[in-house]
């Protein structure tokens, strides 16, 4: 085996180790390309041709598996009961400076003023979004 074959074999191992260490798919396509380039190098093809096979092989592997990877990475978002609070209105029970509490849907929630202004106790607010267990609210005018 010539030095380019060793180089491609090293690349296969390196990309495979990187892929094994990372939780997402980041190097599997390069493993495919490096394997193809390694096989081509065994036939004594020029380094330029080997590099071309590596790039094309990796690109084709990426294009061929992209729909599968996209489907795998895009998990179904399951809405929770808290999502229904978005758009609801409630009353401030502890002044928002800009964080305080609001009473919405029969429960007291930690809330943050979206525009970072103080909202007095008793004022009406509308839920715009939710971050963790904190409601992002705006004052209803």
């Amino acid at each position: 085996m010539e030095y380019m074959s060793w180089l491609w074999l090293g690349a296969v191992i390196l990309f495979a180790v990187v892929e094994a260490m990372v939780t997402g798919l980041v190097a599997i396509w390069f493993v495919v390309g490096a394997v193809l380039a390694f096989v081509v190098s065994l036939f004594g093809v020029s380094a330029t041709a080997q590099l071309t096979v590596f790039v094309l092989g990796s690109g084709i592997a990426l294009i061929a598996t992209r729909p599968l990877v996209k489907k795998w990475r895009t998990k179904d978002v399951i809405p929770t009961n808290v999502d229904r609070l978005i758009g609801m209105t409630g009353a401030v029970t502890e002044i928002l400076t800009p964080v305080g509490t609001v009473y919405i849907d029969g429960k007291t929630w930690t809330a943050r003023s979206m525009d970072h202004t103080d909202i007095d106790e008793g004022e009406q607010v509308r839920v715009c979004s939710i971050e963790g267990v904190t409601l992002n609210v705006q004052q209803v005018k």
Side-chain angles (χ1 to χ4, degrees):
M1 272 194 324
E2 64 176 73
Y3 76 94
M4 285 302 288
S5 297
W6 288 108
L7 179 76
W8 290 118
L9 189 58
V12 169
I13 293 168
L14 175 69
F15 291 132
V17 167
V18 168
E19 185 63 41
M21 292 177 66
V22 180
T23 58
L25 295 174
V26 295
I28 193 70
W29 307 282
F30 301 125
V31 172
V32 172
V35 166
L36 293 174
F38 172 72
V39 170
V40 169
S41 74
L42 295 176
F43 293 103
V45 179
S46 71
T48 305
Q50 293 173 35
L51 186 60
T52 303
V53 167
F54 170 73
V55 171
L56 289 175
S58 298
I60 291 169
L62 173 64
I63 291 168
T65 59
R66 186 164 185 238
L68 291 172
V69 172
K70 208 172 184 183
K71 184 177 181 180
W72 176 70
R73 293 194 76 202
T74 308
K75 297 192 179 355
D76 293 333
V77 176
I78 300 170
T80 63
N81 288 339
V82 138
D83 295 331
R84 67 184 170 79
L85 294 176
I86 296 174
M88 293 181 91
T89 58
V92 175
T93 56
E94 179 186 312
I95 187 170
L96 302 182
T97 57
V99 177
T101 60
V102 297
Y103 187 79
I104 296 177
D105 195 35
K107 296 173 191 68
T108 301
W109 295 87
T110 300
R112 178 181 298 114
S113 170
M114 295 256 323
D115 54 7
H116 303 289
T117 59
D118 293 354
I119 302 175
D120 293 326
E121 189 174 325
E123 295 290 326
Q124 291 291 306
V125 292
R126 182 178 319 283
V127 179
C128 299
S129 64
I130 303 169
E131 289 179 43
V133 293
T134 302
L135 307 178
N136 294 315
V137 298
Q138 280 184 321
Q139 186 171 4
V140 176
K141 298 187 182 200

